[in-house]
Amino acid sequence: MTSMNRRNFVATLGIAGTALLAGCNGSEEATQTTDDAQTTDDSAEEASYTLVKEGVLTNVAELGFSPFEYIDEDGNTVGFDVDLSNAIAEKMGLTCEWLPNQAFDTLVPTIKQGGKADISIAGVTITDERLEDVDFSDPYLNSNQALIVAASSDYATEDLDAEDIQIACQTGTTGDAWIQENLPNATRVPLADVTAGMMGVSTGSYQAMVIDLPVAQNMLAQSFSDLTILEEIPTGEQYGIAVSYDNPGLKDAINAALAEIESDGTMDELKQKWFGTTDI
Ligand code: GLN
């Protein structure tokens, strides 16, 4: 494979590196002893589920949510969720594919509708409202919200609850809902793209933005040193993997894989790799 083809291949699968490709292609299963292979077969039989593409766990996400899922400078889809989805697929004896970018507020409807993606692992908070439409795996990460302003501004949070204040958010997110509930007088600016919101605060088009705390911390440190977190908002959210209610065996198989990923140290490795700490 030429390096160009290789890059396209990796980008298509949304897999960050060769080691993960090796882990994801089922070769480990092929070298297992008969006993182990039998165990694998048994568990595959128990976990009966459907997939939109045979042998593949197909994920749909919004790809501008660093460090969970984003496109790196080589055009590869990378991040904590990408590594986690690869690890889950590997435990299930599957490969994994990430569909092209979709707006965040289309992810739950896509899973509900079915036929296009099996799961959405995309920093999606488990909420009662979303549970009306889709099921979720066990939680895999805790999160809160962050209220971001220009570092040069001297706002207090209560100053932002005014009509002439424009507050950016990503459309349909929990940050969007938080603004509506807690700063109802502000002018909310729902956007498809998180970076566009931060750029807007940076240039003064918007006075603030509300987005998940780990993403705010990451993006401010990487690209927006002129912005600051005015307030950490303890919403106590938990991320889960959205699956269709029509596919309960898939949820069970994902939960079994997640439990292994927690107990065998993989989860801590991934947290360390992407957040520099296991304490998240
Ligand atoms: N966790 C937030 C939510 O579920 C934001 C997710 C995202 O933008 N990817 O609404």
Side-chain angles (χ1 to χ4, degrees):
M1 212 182 263
T2 66
S3 66
M4 191 55 208
N5 281 342
R6 173 97 204 163
R7 185 171 307 154
N8 288 344
F9 180 57
V10 169
T12 308
L13 287 182
I15 291 171
T18 314
L20 286 169
L21 270 175
C24 230
N25 67 8
S27 61
E28 277 181 30
E29 279 75 19
T31 57
Q32 281 175 340
T33 64
T34 315
D35 280 349
D36 283 348
Q38 189 59 47
T39 311
T40 306
D41 284 345
D42 286 350
S43 53
E45 260 168 39
E46 277 162 31
S48 93
Y49 49 78
T50 58
L51 295 169
V52 295
K53 193 166 160 190
E54 198 184 330
V56 176
L57 194 58
T58 304
N59 183 62
V60 64
E62 194 278 325
L63 303 177
F65 204 59
S66 173
F68 293 95
E69 41 271 322
Y70 63 101
I71 315 275
D72 72 8
E73 47 294 351
D74 297 325
N76 298 323
T77 303
V78 298
F80 176 87
D81 285 344
V82 178
D83 284 355
L84 182 59
S85 70
N86 286 333
I88 290 168
E90 189 189 340
K91 300 273 185 214
M92 294 168 69
L94 304 171
T95 57
C96 34
E97 281 184 19
W98 282 54
L99 295 179
N101 184 58
Q102 268 190 220
F104 182 79
D105 60 345
T106 68
L107 303 180
V108 165
T110 298
I111 296 300
K112 184 182 181 184
Q113 191 180 340
K116 192 171 172 192
D118 304 304
I119 58 169
S120 182
I121 173 163
V124 184
T125 302
I126 304 169
T127 67
D128 289 343
E129 198 184 336
R130 291 173 185 160
L131 278 164
E132 287 176 13
D133 291 326
V134 293
D135 207 356
F136 280 94
S137 71
D138 293 333
Y140 68 87
L141 202 96
N142 298 326
S143 184
N144 288 308
Q145 294 295 310
L147 182 59
I148 299 166
V149 292
S152 58
S153 73
D154 54 6
Y155 290 118
T157 302
E158 50 278 16
D159 301 336
L160 298 173
D161 193 21
E163 204 181 333
D164 62 340
I165 297 287
Q166 304 220 55
I167 308 186
C169 59
Q170 194 174 35
T171 311
T173 58
T174 46
D176 186 346
W178 186 88
I179 297 170
Q180 296 182 57
E181 279 158 33
N182 296 281
L183 300 171
N185 297 312
T187 302
R188 184 178 56 97
V189 185
L191 301 166
D193 186 49
V194 177
T195 304
M198 293 199 186
M199 290 290 289
V201 181
S202 184
T203 57
S205 303
Y206 316 130
Q207 284 66 53
M209 174 161 196
V210 178
I211 193 70
D212 296 31
L213 179 62
V215 173
Q217 287 169 329
N218 177 273
M219 291 180 68
L220 264 50
Q222 298 292 325
S223 321
F224 292 99
S225 56
D226 57 333
L227 304 184
T228 189
I229 296 174
L230 176 63
E231 194 184 326
E232 295 188 6
I233 307 161
T235 47
E237 294 172 50
Q238 293 187 303
Y239 293 167
I241 301 167
V243 292
S244 169
Y245 279 117
D246 295 337
N247 211 358
L250 183 61
K251 179 178 114 166
D252 294 344
I254 287 172
N255 281 339
L258 268 179
E260 266 185 63
I261 285 164
E262 290 281 359
S263 65
D264 70 7
T266 307
M267 187 64 92
D268 278 349
E269 262 173 47
L270 295 184
K271 287 179 178 172
Q272 193 65 45
K273 173 179 171 185
W274 290 102
F275 304 105
T277 174
T278 57
D279 189 21
I280 174 165

